[in-house]
Amino acid sequence: MRKAIYLLFALSLLSCGGKGLKGIEEGEETQAEIEAAMMDGRSAAREFINKNWKDSVELQSHLLEARSKRLRYDTINKPHCRAAYDSAFVSTIRTVRPDVAKALEK
């Protein structure tokens, strides 16, 4: 399942080959934007780990829901924010629910 998480995030990166919003260049992210992305990632992880799923299909559905919350960083071309979101999401799951992290790694 860990591979599924990374695959979903990798696919989302590949699917966002657009140029972003006009006037926004890559690397113009402020520290506040990056910290906000980290908080969003932690929040999405908390929502994810607090849900119960019956099978792997439902688990994947919840992962897609968490990924959809990250889409705003894809649409505005903020690579550092995307990375901060992903990192915070994964590390929160590993810290708060190691049992869920182990299940996702299988």
Side-chain angles (χ1 to χ4, degrees):
M1 282 298 171
R2 180 180 182 190
K3 291 178 184 178
I5 292 174
Y6 292 124
L7 179 62
L8 287 172
F9 287 126
L11 288 174
S12 69
L13 290 174
L14 292 174
S15 68
C16 298
K19 296 179 182 174
L21 297 176
K22 193 174 191 177
I24 297 179
E25 297 293 325
E26 202 170 307
E28 288 187 11
E29 297 145 294
T30 65
Q31 187 63 34
E33 289 173 318
I34 293 171
E35 289 178 17
M38 290 174 70
M39 291 187 330
D40 288 345
R42 287 184 195 114
S43 175
R46 283 192 300 271
E47 291 174 19
F48 173 76
I49 59 177
N50 288 326
K51 291 183 180 180
N52 295 316
W53 49 85
K54 298 172 189 157
D55 54 27
S56 62
V57 173
E58 193 173 355
L59 170 68
Q60 289 177 350
S61 172
H62 290 300
L63 282 172
L64 287 173
E65 186 179 319
R67 182 191 157 273
S68 71
K69 294 177 182 180
R70 182 185 153 242
L71 287 178
R72 76 171 130 180
Y73 302 113
D74 293 336
T75 59
I76 59 174
N77 197 23
K78 302 275 186 175
H80 297 292
C81 288
R82 285 192 303 257
Y85 181 97
D86 292 346
S87 177
F89 181 83
V90 172
S91 66
T92 300
I93 291 175
R94 284 185 181 154
T95 302
V96 177
R97 292 284 305 270
D99 57 320
V100 173
K102 286 180 184 177
L104 292 175
E105 290 174 359
K106 289 182 181 179

